[in-house]
Amino acid sequence: MKYVLFIAALFVASSANADIFTLDLTSDNSGVVSSSDGWLAENTDAIDFYTFELTTDTDIAFSVSALTSIGLSLYQGDLTSDPSFLFSNSSDFIDFMGNTYTYLTGTSSYFPNAGDNTLSSVLLSAGLYTLALGGNEGFDFGSVEYVLTSTITGTQVPEPSSYALILMMLTTMAWQFRSAKK
């Protein structure tokens, strides 16, 4: 199966046009998608993909400011090449190299122009992720400019070494208290 996908990748690679960016989680990310219905039509030529890595468990939300409805899909996995017709905006998909991208959540593709261009807060574990973003209109009205904002709302989980440090501090304080009593 991987060999069939690899051969198909060779044929499709010359026409691959999906834009893949690294998401800056600390500031707004702006861009342009070439079609106002690309996400709805699952047309990767008109979808921007953003990859990012989380080093700790993180509660994160995404919102898009645009003059049209924008669809968003979040996947576990680091997309490195255009998946072309293998892409799905509402389920798992694989790329031509056989890598699997697990669908985590997304906006509704059954109701074009519905919603508020947001992907509600979701708790993600440390790992690699891909966010797909594109027009969610029922008709193509041309290119769409947008600003993507990510909001981290969760607290960071302490490292095990932090617990060890706290335990050492408490032990030292107890020892000093005990020594002072003698």
Side-chain angles (χ1 to χ4, degrees):
M1 178 68 173
K2 276 191 171 185
Y3 296 112
V4 172
L5 291 175
F6 180 73
I7 291 171
L10 293 176
F11 290 113
V12 175
S14 62
S15 65
N17 294 320
D19 290 325
I20 302 171
F21 305 103
T22 300
L23 181 64
D24 183 354
L25 294 171
T26 61
S27 65
D28 291 343
N29 298 266
S30 59
V32 177
V33 288
S34 62
S35 168
S36 61
D37 71 345
W39 182 84
L40 183 65
E42 297 182 342
N43 175 6
T44 60
D45 291 343
I47 295 174
D48 285 352
F49 294 94
Y50 286 91
T51 62
F52 60 98
E53 181 178 8
L54 298 175
T55 56
T56 61
D57 294 354
T58 305
D59 198 6
I60 190 167
F62 299 97
S63 64
V64 179
S65 175
L67 295 177
T68 188
S69 181
I70 298 293
L72 298 163
S73 298
L74 182 62
Y75 303 89
Q76 187 168 18
D78 184 29
L79 187 70
T80 57
S81 64
D82 187 344
S84 190
F85 62 87
L86 299 174
F87 172 73
S88 171
N89 65 15
S90 59
S91 65
D92 298 354
F93 70 93
I94 59 172
D95 64 12
F96 290 106
M97 298 300 162
N99 300 314
T100 301
Y101 302 91
T102 305
Y103 177 79
L104 300 174
T105 188
T107 56
S108 176
S109 60
Y110 297 107
F111 300 104
N113 201 20
D116 56 2
N117 295 348
T118 62
L119 197 55
S120 299
S121 182
V122 60
L123 180 61
L124 300 176
S125 59
L128 300 170
Y129 296 91
T130 298
L131 179 71
L133 175 152
N136 191 25
E137 292 290 332
F139 302 97
D140 183 12
F141 299 112
S143 63
V144 177
E145 293 182 20
Y146 65 85
V147 176
L148 170 64
T149 304
S150 53
T151 306
I152 296 174
T153 57
T155 58
Q156 302 291 335
V157 177
E159 295 289 328
S161 61
S162 299
Y163 292 119
L165 182 61
I166 291 170
L167 183 59
M168 286 186 344
M169 287 177 16
L170 290 173
T171 303
T172 303
M173 288 172 46
W175 180 76
Q176 286 177 345
F177 179 74
R178 188 173 176 195
S179 296
K181 276 183 122 180
K182 288 184 180 184

